[in-house]
């Protein structure tokens, strides 16, 4: 991949699932490069949600390369997800009209509970005899009408602590937006609260976000947590049985609490 016109730069893989991310390094500078990133990146940069977009360039083969400032920082640790700054940045994301506008322009339609359920049902065909999966599907089907909401915002959908970065100036960013959708913000909230925060502290954390922990929100978060756990399980099952087992055990735990709703 030839991006620069001189030989001063060394380009190496930056890892990641897609294999489309690179580190470009010269004697004096480092850049984060991404191949064929979405135009959505420019809006995320303008909103201060991801590191600053410096330039984009179209290569001779038609690929478009984007360059961002390389962060000399670190990922958040799991316990840091409890912080109010995480809640405030997520609130900023969910309230951003430019993010919704750009995703809609790119052809993304709002994802409803029925869309989630249809996707899950298609993938569940090979697991018809698995009791935890049958129980989860029964809960999702029984309550799908109760979790409908007209309030749809841009959701990250993969909001684990490894995607939250602190730079050298203590600026917080949320990166890796390949799974972004327009949906109920309860989707993102569920992933943070269920994974990182004791249930006794949910109300306090949500106060920093700007919402109240109502029975309706509790149901919506539980619904999306069950749905996302199924999606994660289906993704990992053919690739990493240990990871798949982790999500299956989580699903069994969530099923035990589904009767509350």
């Amino acid at each position: 991949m030839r991006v620069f016109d001189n030989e001063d730069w060394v380009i190496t893989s930056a890892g990641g699932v897609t294999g489309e991310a690179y580190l470009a390094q010269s004697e004096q500078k480092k850049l984060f490069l991404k191949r064929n990133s979405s135009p959505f990146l420019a809006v995320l940069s303008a909103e201060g949600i991801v590191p600053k977009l410096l330039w984009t360039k179209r290569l001779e083969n038609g690929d478009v390369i984007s360059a961002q400032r390389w962060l000399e920082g670190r990922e958040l640790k799991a316990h840091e997800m409890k912080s109010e700054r995480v809640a405030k940045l997520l609130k900023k994301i969910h309230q951003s009209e430019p993010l919704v506008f750009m995703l809609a322009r790119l052809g993304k339609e709002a994802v409803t509970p029925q869309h989630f359920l249809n996707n899950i049902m298609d993938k569940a065909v090979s697991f018809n005899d698995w009791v935890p999966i049958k129980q989860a599907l029964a809960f999702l089907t029984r309550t799908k009408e109760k979790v409908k909401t007209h309030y749809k915002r841009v959701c990250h959908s993969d909001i684990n602590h490894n995607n939250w970065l602190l730079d050298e100036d203590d600026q917080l960013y949320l990166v890796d937006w390949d799974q972004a959708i327009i949906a109920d913000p309860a989707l993102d909230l569920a992933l943070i609260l269920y994974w990182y925060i004791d249930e006794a502290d949910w109300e306090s954390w949500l106060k920093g976000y700007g919402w109240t922990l109502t029975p309706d929100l509790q149901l919506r978060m539980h619904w999306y947590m069950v749905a996302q756990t199924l999606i994660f399980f289906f993704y990992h099952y053919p690739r990493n049985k240990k990871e798949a087992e982790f999500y299956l055990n989580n699903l069994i735990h969530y099923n035990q609490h589904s009767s509350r709703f």
Side-chain angles (χ1 to χ4, degrees):
M1 183 176 70
R2 184 173 179 83
V3 179
F4 302 98
D5 295 328
N6 57 60
E7 304 297 329
D8 297 337
W9 293 85
V10 176
I11 299 177
T12 56
S13 172
V17 175
T18 64
E20 302 288 351
Y22 305 89
L23 165 63
Q25 189 168 5
S26 68
E27 289 187 4
Q28 298 179 339
K29 199 170 185 180
K30 289 183 180 180
L31 298 175
F32 177 77
L33 305 183
K34 191 80 178 284
R35 188 200 304 265
N36 296 329
S37 62
S38 167
F40 189 51
L41 179 63
V43 183
L44 290 166
S45 172
E47 292 281 283
I49 295 164
V50 299
K52 185 177 180 180
L53 178 65
L54 302 175
W55 47 260
T56 59
K57 179 178 181 179
R58 183 174 294 276
L59 304 184
E60 290 182 359
N61 65 0
D63 286 345
V64 176
I65 301 298
S66 62
Q68 292 171 266
R69 183 172 67 88
W70 180 268
L71 286 187
E72 295 296 344
R74 64 174 179 83
E75 300 171 351
L76 285 191
K77 297 179 174 61
H79 70 87
E80 293 176 304
M81 295 293 288
K82 300 177 182 179
S83 70
E84 188 173 345
R85 68 191 305 178
V86 169
K88 287 184 174 180
L89 181 54
L90 192 60
K91 178 181 179 180
K92 176 181 178 180
I93 291 165
H94 288 162
Q95 289 186 338
S96 172
E97 294 291 347
L99 294 186
V100 177
F101 178 75
M102 177 54 79
L103 266 196
R105 279 193 61 187
L106 293 172
K108 293 273 190 176
E109 297 183 358
V111 181
T112 66
Q114 188 63 58
H115 290 136
F116 271 95
L117 191 54
N118 290 344
N119 181 37
I120 290 167
M121 288 291 194
D122 289 342
K123 292 179 171 60
V125 171
S126 301
F127 303 90
N128 284 334
D129 296 329
W130 292 47
V131 173
I133 293 176
K134 290 170 64 177
Q135 291 174 336
L137 290 173
F139 164 74
L140 295 177
T141 302
R142 173 173 61 84
T143 56
K144 66 179 181 180
E145 296 299 321
K146 296 180 180 179
V147 297
K148 285 183 176 179
T149 176
H150 294 296
Y151 187 68
K152 302 288 198 305
R153 313 303 295 173
V154 169
C155 295
H156 184 276
S157 303
D158 185 19
I159 209 154
N160 72 75
H161 66 279
N162 298 312
N163 287 329
W164 295 79
L165 303 181
L166 272 177
D167 71 6
E168 61 272 27
D169 298 318
D170 203 40
Q171 175 69 41
L172 182 63
Y173 299 101
L174 179 57
V175 300
D176 194 0
W177 284 85
D178 292 338
Q179 307 302 318
I181 59 174
I182 301 173
D184 183 351
L187 167 64
D188 282 344
L189 293 173
L191 293 175
I192 288 183
L193 294 179
Y194 275 75
W195 282 349
Y196 298 108
I197 300 172
D198 293 336
E199 190 168 355
D201 298 325
W202 284 9
E203 190 167 2
S204 175
W205 191 92
L206 282 167
K207 186 177 180 181
Y209 172 83
W211 279 11
T212 302
L213 184 61
T214 63
D216 174 70
L217 179 57
Q218 286 180 305
L219 169 59
R220 284 155 52 205
M221 290 195 301
H222 190 77
W223 198 95
Y224 282 107
M225 196 67 239
V226 171
Q228 283 293 87
T229 302
L230 280 168
I231 291 169
F232 292 142
F233 169 77
F234 294 143
Y235 174 81
H236 286 289
Y237 185 79
R239 298 171 175 83
N240 186 324
K241 291 298 192 291
K242 187 174 181 180
E243 278 291 304
E245 184 178 0
F246 169 79
Y247 287 110
L248 184 63
N249 288 334
N250 280 353
L251 186 66
I252 292 170
H253 174 72
Y254 301 145
N255 285 342
Q256 293 170 352
H257 296 277
S258 293
S259 59
R260 295 187 300 176
F261 303 101

